[in-house]
Amino acid sequence: MARSVKKGPFVDHHLMKKVEAARSTSDKRPIKTWSRRSTIVPDFIGLTLAVHNGKQHVPVYITENMVGHKLGEFAMTRIFKSHSAVGKRTEDAVGGDRRPGPGAPGAAAAPAAAPAAAPAAAPAKK
């Protein structure tokens, strides 16, 4: 649910103090913050905020397009390591071929072996 327009955007007071101090001194160093819930306001444009993602501070350079969004949207908390390609990494992890062996449950029925060739018929005796 959105915040009331009457109240205005939420920004933590301690973060706003740091931003005002950086603006007054034209300091370009990143501002460290743990406030992921704070809304980006036009005062932040052109600054770099180091937003904590639970493990480290991720530097986020604020642009005009970010105004109105929350700081936490730009510092991902989860790392996505791509899905493994079928048969590529999984073979290494499992230790070989992924196809089930013969007679394994769920294995497709193997084609029936061709009957052994009958020995050549002996020539008929006259």
Side-chain angles (χ1 to χ4, degrees):
M1 177 181 285
R3 186 172 165 90
S4 168
V5 175
K6 176 178 72 172
K7 294 179 183 180
F10 175 80
V11 182
D12 273 325
H13 296 294
H14 57 85
L15 176 60
M16 203 60 190
K17 282 183 192 176
K18 291 179 182 180
V19 168
E20 290 170 358
R23 282 255 176 240
S24 64
T25 61
S26 302
D27 193 7
K28 292 294 180 183
R29 289 182 297 166
I31 300 169
K32 276 189 177 181
T33 183
W34 284 260
S35 178
R36 299 172 55 84
R37 63 187 180 170
S38 293
T39 304
I40 297 173
V41 293
D43 294 343
F44 293 4
I45 295 174
L47 295 176
T48 302
L49 300 176
V51 183
H52 198 255
N53 70 354
K55 182 177 181 181
Q56 62 190 13
H57 286 89
V58 178
V60 178
Y61 180 75
I62 307 297
T63 61
E64 289 182 31
N65 296 337
M66 296 178 179
V67 173
H69 291 268
K70 302 286 185 177
L71 285 174
E73 295 179 45
F74 303 102
M76 299 296 120
T77 57
R78 293 180 175 93
I79 299 171
F80 174 73
K81 296 185 179 177
S82 67
H83 298 291
S84 62
V86 175
K88 186 175 180 184
R89 292 190 198 149
T90 49
E91 283 182 16
D92 299 335
V94 174
D97 196 5
R98 290 195 57 190
R99 291 175 292 199
K125 290 186 184 180
K126 292 185 188 185

